[in-house]
Amino acid sequence: MNIRTDIPLTKETFLRWVETQEGRYEFVEGKIMMMTGASWGHVEIAGNLQTLLRSGLDRLRFAVGQSDFAVETARGLRYPDVFVQAAGIDRRAYVATAPILLAEILSPSSLETDLRQKVEEYTALPSLSAYVVLAQDEPRLWLWQRGADGAFPHAPEMIEGTDAALPLPALGVTLKLAAIYEGVG
């Protein structure tokens, strides 16, 4: 399927097109944006986080996914590194409809996007309880977590060190950073 540049691109057209592509892309403000490749550290952290969530959550209540599955935002379609949504996702779906947790692992090229643009997009999602951005080279993360008043803080909480933990009360789990960063040096 070729994309025509003389007509507006829709989310549905993008989803059909992206299925046929070798590379990885996001759809932002009507434009196709190529995503960068991932380092081994990025892959390890994402895999560890996904494994910890899958083993720690009630699979009858929660579904855990990774970057092959889109999340719809007001600006388009993003592919977070790891996400959690209520169980019951249509097995034919390509887009998460109500994510509870979204997590991104920083790359040098994704700092601006992950720490600014995606903060605005993700925290505007009514279903979201937490957005986590994880450093790739050390046990450190930035956490935006919805407060009791229903709002997200303007600035994230920074959590760092192998003795620290990531509390996720909306999911009923707390994850040790040592486990998230296991095998990452």
Side-chain angles (χ1 to χ4, degrees), residues 61-63 84-89 98-100:
R61 293 183 52 216
F62 301 107
V84 174
Q85 178 169 303
I89 294 175
I100 300 165

Side-chain angles (χ1 to χ4, degrees), residues 3-156:
I3 295 290
R4 290 183 54 187
T5 57
D6 59 331
I7 58 171
L9 183 61
T10 66
K11 291 175 186 175
E12 294 75 23
T13 304
F14 169 78
L15 286 170
R16 285 195 311 273
W17 174 81
V18 80
E19 282 184 82
T20 66
Q21 302 307 302
E22 292 289 328
R24 301 186 34 78
Y25 303 87
E26 289 185 326
F27 180 66
V28 181
E29 295 181 342
K31 295 183 175 103
I32 297 171
M33 310 294 284
M34 187 166 202
M35 296 169 61
T36 62
S39 71
W40 186 249
H42 184 284
V43 170
E44 282 287 310
I45 294 164
N48 289 347
L49 181 58
Q50 185 176 5
T51 299
L52 290 166
L53 289 166
R54 282 182 177 266
S55 64
L57 296 177
D58 180 349
R59 299 291 296 276
L60 296 175
R61 293 183 52 216
F62 301 107
V64 180
Q66 75 278 346
S67 61
D68 294 326
F69 204 71
V71 169
E72 185 170 359
T73 72
R75 294 182 67 201
L77 296 168
R78 297 289 195 173
Y79 289 83
D81 291 315
V82 177
F83 75 92
V84 174
Q85 178 169 303
I89 294 175
D90 177 352
R91 297 293 173 212
R92 296 166 297 192
Y94 289 90
V95 179
T97 56
I100 300 165
L101 167 74
L102 295 172
E104 299 282 4
I105 292 105
L106 281 178
S107 299
S109 64
S110 71
L111 287 168
E112 173 71 24
T113 303
D114 292 344
L115 291 172
R116 287 202 180 17
Q117 295 170 10
K118 288 183 180 179
V119 171
E120 292 174 21
E121 290 177 59
Y122 289 166
T123 59
L125 298 170
S127 64
L128 195 72
S129 291
Y131 174 46
V132 181
V133 177
L134 299 104
Q136 195 175 141
D137 54 351
E138 62 183 320
R140 177 185 304 188
L141 60 84
W142 295 264
L143 171 64
W144 287 263
Q145 192 141 232
R146 195 178 296 275
D149 62 355
F152 282 95
H154 292 291

